[in-house]
Every structure is written in structure tokens, then in C-alpha cells.
Amino acid sequence: NAGVTQTPKFQVLKTGQSMTLQCAQDMNHNSMYWYRQDPGMGLRLIYYSASEGTTDKGEVPNGYNVSRLNKREFSLRLESAAPSQTSVYFCASSERDRGLRGYGYTFGSGTRLTVV
Amino acid sequence: AQKITQTQPGMFVQEKEAVTLDCTYDTSDPSYGLFWYKQPSSGEMIFLIYQGSYDQQNATEGRYSLNFQKARKSANLVISASQLGDSAMYFCAPFYGNTGKLIFGQGTTLQVKP
């Protein structure tokens, strides 16, 4: 099925550990995004990639790095995890201009990350 | 930074009644879109309805409609004939054409009572 695939679905890290969240889309979208959602809150944009080879900071980029590996894949890395990074992480993709024509974003199912 | 305000953290509605969820946003960008998403307890993000900033008529999609007041920068979601399955968190999310970003409000939790 076409869509956005995130791995892993669940992860527990110890403070200071590193890990990479993977995201892949098969809809040939140019733009990809990483959001985090804290309990009872809206999604906050961490980083986004408008097209292959470009990445830009969102609202809350500190403590994260990203790589747009190719058109399909956009990974999010935590170099030294902190308890404040405990959250649900969503990857999404879109055609950039289509946000103005109502096509919206396609979201992955999320990664639930706990840092202890 | 763009600011989106959903003033109702939690709402209750009786089954089969209509409910309005408020959203105001801040932008100087003349070209933008407004999305509403539903997030049930299972966690997935479900697209509900869209309004373009240049659209002349309010958007409708089944039981969902938007009360779009551009001058007031307001895009309230109206759900008619509420169903128990409508119980979820609802997010207003403007898409800004100049940046290509979708930014979310803090959400409104809706509970439908039988």
C-alpha cells in the first residue's frame, strides 16, 4: 500500500544514547517532514526537506539532525538522547505546492520514543 | 513565528448534535491553506477538510464544514450530527505558501456523549 513508513514503531533509549528514526515514502513526493507530538499537544515541526538535497529547520530543531538520503527517505537522528525528547515522532510527505490546493500531507503511523 | 490558536482544550457534545471547534491563525502570507485533522486515540492523523485562502465559498465535506472568515483569520470547524466515533482530538493546521510548511495548533479534544 502506498504511504509513509516509519521504523521503529516503539523505542526506549537511555539518556545519552543515540539513534536514527527512519522514514520512507513511495508516493514520489518531493517534500518530507519530521514532527514531534508531546502528550496532549499539537504536532511541532522539527525539520523539513522541501526537495531532495535540501533540509531546513522547523520550530524545534535543537538536539536533532536529519538526512535526506534520496527522494524516498528522510531520517531523523538523535545524537545524545535526553528525557525531554520523549515524544511521538511523525514523518510526513507532500508535494509542496499541493498544500495550497488541498492535497495535504500523508503521515506515517508514528514512532513512540521514551528516553529514560 | 506563525501562531495558531485553538481556544477550546476540551469540548463535550451530545450525540446527534452539532458542534463548532474554533481556530484562529496569524499570517501575512496572502496565499495559504487551512487544514483540519482528526487524531483518534489510536494516534493516526486523519485529514478532514481543506479551505484555500482564495476560495470564495466555505468548504464542506460530508458532515464537516468550515466557517471561514478571512478578514478575522478564523477557520472554525463545524461537525453536524455528531457520532460517538467523532470523539478524538482535532487540529487546525494552516499551510503557508511562502514557506511550504504545515503548522499545527495545540488541538481540541472532543468527546461525544451518548
Side-chain angles (χ1 to χ4, degrees), chain A residues 4 25-33 48-56 68-74 92-98 101 104-105, chain B residues 100:
Chain A
V4 177
Q25 53 92 8
D26 57 7
M27 295 167 287
N28 203 36
H29 285 165
N30 283 313
S31 301
M32 297 186 72
Y33 309 82
Y48 68 104
S49 171
S51 60
E52 185 179 355
T54 68
T55 60
D56 286 289
R68 184 73 183 267
L69 304 171
N70 47 56
K71 192 172 185 179
R72 288 188 65 247
E73 298 172 288
F74 188 39
S93 72
S94 76
E95 282 297 341
R96 177 189 166 117
D97 289 345
R98 291 195 171 194
R101 284 179 274 164
Y105 286 27

Side-chain angles (χ1 to χ4, degrees), chain B residues 2-110:
Chain B
Q2 296 97 344
K3 184 177 179 182
I4 302 100
T5 303
Q6 295 182 251
T7 58
Q8 309 143 313
M11 292 275 289
F12 290 91
V13 65
Q14 205 67 36
E15 192 179 8
K16 300 181 184 178
E17 292 186 348
V19 62
T20 298
L21 307 183
D22 296 340
C23 173
T24 58
Y25 53 91
D26 179 25
T27 183
S28 57
D29 188 349
S31 184
Y32 58 91
L34 287 149
F35 291 86
W36 277 87
Y37 280 86
K38 172 184 178 181
Q39 187 179 42
S41 57
S42 53
E44 71 266 34
M45 299 297 291
I46 302 169
F47 165 68
L48 294 178
I49 194 168
Y50 168 83
Q51 178 85 43
S53 60
Y54 293 116
D55 292 345
Q56 295 297 313
Q57 294 190 339
N58 287 341
T60 61
E61 194 72 48
R63 293 187 299 111
Y64 305 107
S65 61
L66 274 180
N67 181 5
F68 180 52
Q69 299 183 46
K70 188 173 181 178
R72 298 180 61 183
K73 296 182 181 177
S74 166
N76 299 337
L77 176 70
V78 180
I79 305 175
S80 63
S82 297
Q83 301 172 355
L84 296 178
D86 294 335
S87 294
M89 198 152 185
Y90 289 80
F91 293 102
C92 172
F95 176 90
Y96 296 99
N98 62 346
T99 61
K101 295 182 190 177
L102 188 70
I103 304 295
F104 284 79
Q106 64 269 47
T108 294
T109 300
L110 176 67

